[in-house]
Amino acid sequence: MQTNQPGLTSPCYAVIFTSTRTDTDDGYAETAALMLELARSMPGFLGVDSAREEIGLTVSYWESLEAIRAWKEHPKHRAAQEHGRRKWYSSFTTRVCRVERVEMFP
Amino acid sequence: MQTNQPGLTSPCYAVIFTSTRTDTDDGYAETAALMLELARSMPGFLGVDSAREEIGLTVSYWESLEAIRAWKEHPKHRAAQEHGRRKWYSSFTTRVCRVERVEMFP
């Protein structure tokens, strides 16, 4: 899924989530789908792009740092983060960024 | 490939490149490999993560906006960008971001 708009016409923030999965599924796909649905329902959510090969990259876009904080602290998201640490990810890095410039083709 | 360090101990910038490929190969893989090698040789380059499924996501990390500009304007990279617009990508978005906060697990 590609979302081209975030940051083009007004400032926004990006959360870059880089992860390496374990071999454990145990509800991973279902939770990932639920978290995507939940993120879309959050105030200030602008879009998300995602791909996984050797590593996984998910970049979500948000109107403000406050929106990112509310998403990070949502109880269902916190529970998913805890599962992620315990079983789904061997490592991950989360980077919160301010989008400074956007260029699109075409 | 995962590079955990960028932004953890000192400020850095991220370039988020989100792309959709055409069906045309015609030197794509060779050029992508050459560009990766070239990026690694640039001053201020800190790391890169990449994955492609339906869309491609490549996030490169840099010490400064000047380093990003020099990479963008490198003659070999400019030639690759031109090929990209003409044959390899149906669409892409480039976002230059300032990394504000980094969290790692474990």
Side-chain angles (χ1 to χ4, degrees), chain A residues 4-69:
Chain A
N4 279 322
Q5 302 85 352
L8 192 62
T9 54
S10 57
C12 82
Y13 290 83
V15 179
I16 305 171
F17 180 73
T18 311
S19 64
T20 306
R21 287 270 283 113
T22 61
D23 293 331
T24 306
D25 280 329
D26 191 17
Y28 172 75
E30 296 84 342
T31 301
L34 279 172
M35 287 308 109
L36 185 59
E37 190 182 333
L38 183 60
R40 287 184 196 287
S41 77
M42 296 290 293
F45 174 83
L46 297 173
V48 62
D49 296 312
S50 188
R52 178 175 298 280
E53 287 183 300
E54 187 185 343
I55 63 152
L57 276 170
T58 297
V59 185
S60 58
Y61 298 97
W62 302 86
E63 281 178 5
S64 66
L65 292 173
E66 292 69 29
I68 292 169
R69 178 177 305 275

Side-chain angles (χ1 to χ4, degrees), chain A residues 4 92-94 96 100 103 105, chain B residues 4 92-94 96 100 103:
Chain A
N4 279 322
F92 62 77
T93 305
T94 306
V96 176
E100 306 267 340
E103 292 177 22
F105 168 82
Chain B
N4 279 323
F92 62 78
T93 304
T94 306
V96 176
E100 305 267 341
E103 292 176 23

Side-chain angles (χ1 to χ4, degrees), chain A residues 1-8 12-14 16 18-20 49-59 61 65 68-69 72 84-86 89-106, chain B residues 1-8 12-14 16 18-20 49-59 61 65 68-69 72 84-86 89-106:
Chain A
M1 157 185 26
Q2 182 168 17
T3 49
N4 279 322
Q5 302 85 352
L8 192 62
C12 82
Y13 290 83
I16 305 171
T18 311
S19 64
T20 306
D49 296 312
S50 188
R52 178 175 298 280
E53 287 183 300
E54 187 185 343
I55 63 152
L57 276 170
T58 297
V59 185
Y61 298 97
L65 292 173
I68 292 169
R69 178 177 305 275
K72 182 183 180 184
R85 286 189 185 84
R86 274 199 293 114
Y89 297 114
S90 52
S91 65
F92 62 77
T93 305
T94 306
R95 290 183 178 88
V96 176
C97 308
R98 194 178 74 182
V99 178
E100 306 267 340
R101 195 171 69 240
V102 181
E103 292 177 22
M104 287 173 62
F105 168 82
Chain B
M1 156 188 26
Q2 181 168 15
T3 48
N4 279 323
Q5 303 84 352
L8 193 62
C12 82
Y13 290 84
I16 305 171
T18 310
S19 64
T20 306
D49 295 312
S50 188
R52 178 174 298 281
E53 288 183 300
E54 187 186 342
I55 63 153
L57 277 170
T58 297
V59 185
Y61 298 96
L65 292 174
I68 291 170
R69 179 178 305 276
K72 182 183 180 183
R85 288 188 185 85
R86 274 198 294 114
Y89 297 116
S90 52
S91 66
F92 62 78
T93 304
T94 306
R95 289 184 178 87
V96 176
C97 309
R98 195 178 73 183
V99 177
E100 305 267 341
R101 196 172 69 240
V102 181
E103 292 176 23
M104 287 173 62
F105 167 83

